Amino acid sequence: QLNKIDGTLCTIEFQREALENASTNTEVLKNMGFAAKALEGAHKELGDIDKVHDLMDDIQEQQEIANEISDAISAPMGFGQDIDEDDLLAELEGMEQEDISAQMLDIPSALPGLDLPSVPTSQPAFAEAEEDDPDMAALAAWAT
């Protein structure tokens, strides 16, 4: 008889656990139903997926604009870092050449206090000597 009672208690214990599991499962399913309805309401509020993608694109675009503004603000003032040194050197050489050209144009024809000889107006004396040389005369006749 003790074995019968022990078997009955095991059966009752098994049924009690099954009832608890069923009750737990019922509560879980109810909560899942509430969650599904809440998600459905939220999704209706959001609209279709295209609206979500548009919103995410807008957020990305605004983030890019914010990054550009941040980069502009954080950039050093004055000379930028993207200036080509060769271009600067070429510009400097051009300016120096202009300065030298301007200085060359401002040189006076005669410096004050300096006596320079005048420009000769007659033929030099050695020119007559060349005409007396017969070889030179023959060469001149041949060249003309």
Side-chain angles (χ1 to χ4, degrees):
Q1 182 126 33
L2 195 55
N3 283 338
K4 276 184 166 184
I5 293 174
D6 191 34
T8 303
L9 285 176
C10 282
T11 302
I12 291 173
E13 184 67 28
F14 178 73
Q15 287 179 342
R16 186 186 62 82
E17 287 180 13
L19 286 172
E20 283 180 6
N21 286 339
S23 176
T24 302
N25 288 340
T26 303
E27 287 298 316
V28 168
L29 284 175
K30 266 198 253 180
N31 287 328
M32 288 177 78
F34 293 142
K37 286 182 183 179
L39 283 172
E40 185 179 336
H43 291 153
K44 282 183 183 177
E45 212 173 294
L46 287 175
D48 62 358
I49 191 70
D50 291 333
K51 288 183 181 179
V52 174
H53 285 296
D54 291 343
L55 178 63
M56 294 307 294
D57 289 342
D58 290 344
I59 290 171
Q60 180 66 28
E61 184 178 324
Q62 294 305 316
Q63 185 65 37
E64 288 172 1
I65 291 171
N67 287 340
E68 287 178 18
I69 291 170
S70 176
D71 289 345
I73 291 172
S74 64
M77 298 298 284
F79 287 111
Q81 297 171 348
D82 57 344
I83 294 177
D84 187 12
E85 205 167 305
D86 293 334
D87 290 344
L88 286 177
L89 288 174
E91 185 177 348
L92 178 63
E93 286 178 17
M95 292 170 69
E96 287 174 344
Q97 187 63 38
E98 287 176 10
D99 191 36
I100 290 172
S101 297
Q103 288 176 0
M104 295 293 282
L105 293 174
D106 289 341
I107 294 177
S109 59
L111 297 175
L114 186 63
D115 289 333
L116 296 176
S118 61
V119 177
T121 56
S122 63
Q123 288 287 339
F126 65 88
E128 293 175 6
E130 289 178 0
E131 290 177 7
D132 292 341
D133 187 13
D135 290 333
M136 289 303 287
L139 183 62
W142 176 78
T144 56

